[in-house]
Amino acid sequence: MQALLEHFITQSVMYSLIAVAMVAFLESLALVGLILPGTIMMSALGALIGSGEVNFWQAWLAGIIGCLLGDWISFWLGWRFKKPLHRWSFMKKNKALLDKTEHALHQHSMMTILIGRFIGPTRPLVPMVAGMLDLPVSKFIIPNIIGCLFWPPVYFLPGILAGAAIDIPADAQSGSFKWLLLLAAGLLWLTAWLGWRLWRAGRSGSDRLTRFLPRGRLLWLTPVMSVLTLVSLYVLCKHPLMPVYIDILRKVVSR
């Protein structure tokens, strides 16, 4: 997938922006985003941004446009076809997820729209369900715009960091730096995920992971992982190649 995207976007600047907008649009489109590897595709585009193949600011703008188009078309589809959608077999098979999304929108509509933009399973559902519930546009537009502003760079970030690391000059220390960067990124993601599991423990029904990660285990595992993450970040920041890496990232943003 990354090789195909790279071949497409390196043909011209316009192609690159079309690719970014299309990925963001399809990832946001009602139901379509459930079957697309959107996170992988956005990271692949981020890697090309980090390596200098795609302009960061232009890609950000294209991503915002794609997000807004996908969300508002999804909102309209939910409003226009709410009755047929409720009867659709696909929706019945995913009734549990649909019910949770409806409940969240009833309780905290603005926060659900904003946070749902950053959560894979709910991203292509929240706008459509908001339309199905006849949510006023005034309650949808503000969190939707805020979410679409910040979602592209957040999902580009892992790829940007990886793409920038590729440009680090090869020497005796570059290999250790890249492995340390990968370790720190992995620990940071795992710590954030464990923190999220701990936060939602007891707030919703159990799932398959609950018996392996009960609240009692999360209470000690999350702080331990947090300490390991801080240590890895400290060691990473003290690495001799860190200033070189920061300079590469600065150039990516300033192009």
Side-chain angles (χ1 to χ4, degrees), residues 27-92:
E27 176 67 7
S28 307
L29 191 60
L31 305 180
V32 176
L34 291 174
I35 59 176
L36 285 180
T39 302
I40 296 175
M41 290 191 290
M42 291 294 285
S43 295
L45 290 167
L48 296 171
I49 294 171
S51 62
E53 299 289 343
V54 182
N55 180 273
F56 171 74
W57 298 103
Q58 292 176 347
W60 190 351
L61 178 60
I64 292 171
I65 293 171
C67 289
L68 291 173
L69 285 174
D71 282 356
W72 282 96
I73 290 175
S74 300
F75 184 86
W76 178 83
L77 288 172
W79 172 79
R80 179 65 178 79
F81 301 104
K82 50 179 161 292
K83 291 183 179 179
L85 283 171
H86 275 296
R87 296 193 298 267
W88 193 20
S89 60
F90 180 87
M91 300 297 285
K92 292 179 180 179

Side-chain angles (χ1 to χ4, degrees), residues 28 67 71 112-119 123 147-148 151 155:
S28 307
C67 289
D71 282 356
T112 300
I113 295 167
L114 180 58
I115 297 175
R117 156 54 53 185
F118 296 89
I119 302 175
R123 182 165 45 253
C148 286
W151 179 74
Y155 271 65

